[in-house]
Amino acid sequence: MKVLIAGGAGFIGSHLADALLEEGHKVVCIDNFFIGTKRNIEHLQTHPHFRLYEMDLCNFEALSSIFQEEKFDFVFHLAANSDIQASAKNPQIEYANTYTTTFNILESMRIYHVNKLFFASTSAVYGEKEGAHVDENSTPLEPISYYGAAKLGSEAMISAYSYMNQISALIFRFPNVIGPRLTHGVIYDFIKKLKHNSSELLILGDGLQTKPYMHVYDLILGIMSLKDNLPEGMSIYNIGVDTQTSVTRIADIICETMKLNEVKYTYSGGRGGWRGDVPIFAYNLDKILATGWHARWTSDEAVAKTVEEVL
Amino acid sequence: MKVLIAGGAGFIGSHLADALLEEGHKVVCIDNFFIGTKRNIEHLQTHPHFRLYEMDLCNFEALSSIFQEEKFDFVFHLAANSDIQASAKNPQIEYANTYTTTFNILESMRIYHVNKLFFASTSAVYGEKEGAHVDENSTPLEPISYYGAAKLGSEAMISAYSYMNQISALIFRFPNVIGPRLTHGVIYDFIKKLKHNSSELLILGDGLQTKPYMHVYDLILGIMSLKDNLPEGMSIYNIGVDTQTSVTRIADIICETMKLNEVKYTYSGGRGGWRGDVPIFAYNLDKILATGWHARWTSDEAVAKTVEEVL
């Protein structure tokens, strides 16, 4: 089939492009390279089934032309701002890059009759749910970040478009995803800081923030497995691992791997790393495990594997 | 206090303007007159505490200037597309007039430090929940109209802005609201049709669509009662009546009031009036009833009263 990957030059989008090409599909990638990089897809540039459009999805007319031209069978929408700390200072980033991109894709799908969608959502739609193992129907959904809010708004719009236009939509709510081509986040930051100064490490918050970290290869396997048998309507899944890793534990794993024994940790204090950060998080994964998919690496293993891969 | 009513020339917004002026507040109204009308507020134009800006809330720069100039204490956001049938054909209407208006208001509140918000949401955020009495935590939230989706997305963004900027936000999820100055909806349509042709009436759907109709004066009383003691964070309430009226019953009430005895009803068939219409709906109202507020008119009474008022 011919697929669009919106955000296909990003960390996760580029791995998905690899997997879809490997399976024999034609892949069209749209990216504005705000966060995605040419480097992530340079190995694909000469692939006969790969085509790249450098374009901002907020440009509805340009996007429409591509839909008209390409006649997609399936849209994988992974384009979004993924830097929550950046949008915490400037929410307009989420309005444009996370919400408007979704709306423009849905409008193009409606007009050009594309009826299969994968959407990358996030655990941030749940807001603070400390102590709970949140499942897909947990309530209330009160995001505390503009990022989570724009993703939840996107899910809502997908629900309406799915109903009104018979679009089968598969939504995964991602946890923290890590692995090769990572562009930001705690592992990326710690490695960068330690390469600059291997004697001390400033940790935002109290270091006890504890979340599930999932390896990108496990995520891609989940998308590839579930994409072929989409039920009617909208299907939402938590995806992740049932283990968690604290921020201090991540620092320890990085220091071990980098063979740094004398690093002094200092903490900025406070519970979250920044305002809008959800410090403790755990998923109920029953729904996705029932499909037969499961993660191959625990949270700690995914962290260790990622550190090896990106060092 | 000085308040902004966004959508203040609309059906509900103009009644809220009346009530806030009556209580002694200064009222600034912004309206683009897409749905709101000059007629709804002409009696206020000479009021010393009333000011009108004719402006589209999608124009962020213009909106920002007004926030800078006026220094609001409280924002009442009732601006939205309210014609679900129109946006069913063109979802861009909801993206602009329902979602973007909310985002621009929230950004202006953040920048100019306004920390009290009332937001008009809707039962449409729940999607199809036939047979249930939905409460505020009912799940999943899967809107089937672009209107419901844009409102749910707005609620999500309010949640994040509330958390990030200490904004106290009061959200009412409205049922069908009726009364003087009504601009569309089944009562409006039936009266218009019957004035044109009093021998027959075409009813969309099977006439069994059954929903709670609430009089606008009861809604305004609810807003006025709860606005003064806003708790921190975001508070969501279903508001409505615990009775419902079927579409055929509405036709009967209108014919009785208009003294038309020989009207022949024909039905377009199908369960909903149009795609995206939720045919059967009922609320659990425990949360708002616990505040001491209650509706003075049942659904049938509100319909009958409205027919008298708008004939």
Side-chain angles (χ1 to χ4, degrees):
Chain A
M1 61 185 177
K2 186 191 267 191
V3 311
L4 167 63
I5 306 180
F11 160 45
I12 299 170
S14 64
H15 284 291
L16 182 61
D18 291 344
L20 285 163
L21 287 165
E22 176 75 25
E23 207 176 82
H25 305 292
K26 292 188 172 133
V27 171
V28 175
C29 161
I30 299 180
D31 211 294
N32 58 7
F33 296 102
F34 285 5
I35 299 179
T37 65
K38 300 253 157 110
R39 196 171 158 191
N40 284 344
I41 49 167
E42 67 186 353
H43 61 291
L44 302 177
Q45 294 277 21
T46 56
H47 195 294
H49 290 164
F50 181 80
R51 181 178 295 173
L52 169 68
Y53 291 92
E54 180 165 352
M55 199 203 77
D56 194 328
L57 293 158
C58 292
N59 182 341
F60 179 69
E61 270 62 44
L63 180 61
S64 267
S65 309
I66 295 175
F67 268 79
Q68 186 169 28
E69 170 78 18
E70 297 282 358
K71 300 184 182 17
F72 300 116
D73 301 299
F74 205 128
V75 172
F76 296 83
H77 174 26
L78 294 96
N81 173 58
S82 55
D83 188 345
I84 305 190
Q85 286 178 268
S87 65
K89 292 172 197 146
N90 179 13
Q92 296 273 4
I93 295 174
E94 299 299 347
Y95 171 76
N97 299 351
T98 303
Y99 188 82
T100 300
T101 55
T102 303
F103 183 81
N104 286 351
I105 284 171
L106 289 168
E107 262 298 85
S108 303
M109 291 180 69
R110 177 179 77 85
I111 294 166
Y112 295 102
H113 308 291
V114 183
N115 60 11
K116 288 180 184 169
L117 173 68
F118 171 81
F119 178 66
S121 190
T122 168
S123 62
V125 300
Y126 294 110
E128 285 188 299
K129 293 277 181 293
E130 195 168 333
H133 280 66
V134 296
D135 68 31
E136 292 80 355
N137 286 327
S138 289
T139 183
L141 297 179
E142 294 180 348
I144 63 170
S145 65
Y146 305 117
Y147 171 74
K151 285 287 191 186
L152 182 54
S154 295
E155 287 190 5
M157 204 44 93
I158 290 167
S159 172
Y161 270 87
S162 169
Y163 178 86
M164 293 292 285
N165 307 283
Q166 294 79 50
I167 293 172
S168 291
L170 174 65
I171 298 181
F172 281 2
R173 289 175 175 162
F174 295 3
N176 289 50
V177 182
I178 56 177
R181 307 178 197 162
L182 197 64
T183 54
H184 62 266
V186 62
I187 296 176
Y188 182 88
D189 289 343
F190 283 0
I191 292 175
K192 201 168 136 191
K193 283 180 187 170
L194 287 167
K195 281 183 173 171
H196 181 72
N197 177 356
S198 63
S199 64
E200 62 180 352
L201 179 66
L202 172 65
I203 296 177
L204 295 182
D206 59 10
L208 300 175
Q209 309 99 292
T210 300
K211 304 175 199 183
Y213 291 83
M214 168 186 214
H215 197 279
V216 67
Y217 295 156
D218 276 336
L219 174 65
I220 298 297
L221 187 68
I223 300 173
M224 294 300 286
S225 324
L226 269 70
K227 76 177 191 314
D228 295 322
N229 291 299
L230 295 190
E232 279 182 30
M234 178 172 81
S235 312
I236 298 183
Y237 291 89
N238 290 342
I239 187 165
V241 290
D242 56 10
T243 47
Q244 294 90 35
T245 309
S246 73
V247 169
T248 297
R249 176 80 190 119
I250 290 174
D252 289 346
I253 294 171
I254 294 173
C255 290
E256 280 163 35
T257 312
M258 291 176 78
K259 303 195 196 317
L260 303 172
N261 300 317
E262 310 271 311
V263 182
K264 181 171 174 270
Y265 298 163
T266 54
Y267 296 91
S268 71
R271 296 196 54 245
W274 59 90
R275 191 154 184 88
D277 186 28
V278 176
I280 307 275
F281 194 78
Y283 263 157
N284 175 318
L285 295 169
D286 292 350
K287 186 174 175 184
I288 194 149
L289 292 175
T291 69
W293 172 91
H294 67 274
R296 291 161 291 182
W297 298 283
T298 65
S299 185
D300 278 12
E301 286 167 0
V303 170
K305 179 170 165 62
T306 298
V307 176
E308 296 279 3
E309 288 161 342
V310 303
L311 259 185
Chain B
M1 62 186 176
K2 185 190 269 192
V3 311
L4 168 63
I5 305 180
F11 161 44
I12 299 171
S14 64
H15 285 291
L16 182 61
D18 292 343
L20 286 163
L21 287 166
E22 175 75 26
E23 207 177 81
H25 305 292
K26 293 188 171 133
V27 171
V28 174
C29 161
I30 299 180
D31 210 293
N32 59 6
F33 296 102
F34 285 6
I35 300 178
T37 65
K38 299 253 156 107
R39 195 171 159 192
N40 284 344
I41 50 166
E42 66 187 354
H43 61 292
L44 302 177
Q45 294 277 21
T46 55
H47 195 295
H49 290 163
F50 181 80
R51 181 178 294 173
L52 169 69
Y53 291 91
E54 180 166 352
M55 198 203 80
D56 194 327
L57 293 158
C58 292
N59 181 340
F60 179 69
E61 272 62 43
L63 180 62
S64 268
S65 309
I66 295 174
F67 267 80
Q68 185 168 30
E69 170 77 19
E70 296 283 358
K71 300 182 180 23
F72 300 116
D73 300 300
F74 205 129
V75 173
F76 295 83
H77 174 25
L78 293 96
N81 174 58
S82 55
D83 188 346
I84 304 189
Q85 287 179 266
S87 65
K89 293 170 197 149
N90 178 12
Q92 295 272 5
I93 296 174
E94 300 298 346
Y95 171 76
N97 299 351
T98 302
Y99 188 83
T100 301
T101 55
T102 303
F103 184 81
N104 286 350
I105 284 171
L106 289 168
E107 263 297 85
S108 303
M109 290 179 70
R110 178 179 77 86
I111 294 166
Y112 295 102
H113 307 292
V114 183
N115 60 12
K116 288 181 185 166
L117 174 68
F118 171 82
F119 178 66
S121 191
T122 168
S123 62
V125 301
Y126 294 109
E128 285 188 300
K129 293 276 181 294
E130 194 169 332
H133 280 67
V134 298
D135 69 29
E136 292 80 356
N137 286 328
S138 289
T139 183
L141 297 179
E142 294 181 348
I144 63 170
S145 64
Y146 307 116
Y147 171 74
K151 285 288 189 184
L152 183 54
S154 295
E155 287 189 4
M157 204 42 94
I158 290 167
S159 172
Y161 270 88
S162 168
Y163 178 85
M164 294 292 284
N165 307 283
Q166 294 81 48
I167 293 172
S168 292
L170 174 65
I171 298 180
F172 281 2
R173 289 175 175 163
F174 295 3
N176 288 50
V177 182
I178 56 178
R181 304 177 199 162
L182 197 64
T183 54
H184 63 269
V186 63
I187 296 176
Y188 182 86
D189 289 344
F190 283 0
I191 291 176
K192 201 168 136 191
K193 284 181 187 168
L194 287 167
K195 282 184 174 172
H196 181 69
N197 177 355
S198 63
S199 65
E200 61 180 350
L201 179 66
L202 173 65
I203 296 178
L204 295 182
D206 58 10
L208 301 175
Q209 309 98 293
T210 300
K211 304 176 198 182
Y213 292 83
M214 170 187 210
H215 198 279
V216 66
Y217 295 156
D218 276 336
L219 174 64
I220 298 297
L221 188 68
I223 300 173
M224 295 299 287
S225 321
L226 269 70
K227 76 178 190 314
D228 295 322
N229 291 299
L230 295 189
E232 279 182 31
M234 179 172 78
S235 313
I236 297 183
Y237 292 89
N238 290 342
I239 186 164
V241 290
D242 56 12
T243 47
Q244 293 91 35
T245 309
S246 74
V247 169
T248 297
R249 175 82 190 117
I250 290 174
D252 290 346
I253 293 171
I254 294 173
C255 291
E256 280 163 37
T257 313
M258 290 176 79
K259 302 196 198 318
L260 303 171
N261 301 318
E262 309 272 312
V263 181
K264 180 168 176 272
Y265 298 163
T266 54
Y267 296 91
S268 72
R271 296 196 54 243
W274 59 89
R275 193 155 183 87
D277 185 28
V278 177
I280 307 276
F281 195 78
Y283 263 158
N284 175 318
L285 295 169
D286 291 351
K287 186 174 175 186
I288 193 148
L289 292 175
T291 69
W293 173 91
H294 67 275
R296 290 160 292 180
W297 297 284
T298 65
S299 184
D300 278 12
E301 286 167 0
V303 170
K305 180 171 163 62
T306 298
V307 176
E308 295 279 4
E309 287 161 343
V310 304
L311 259 186

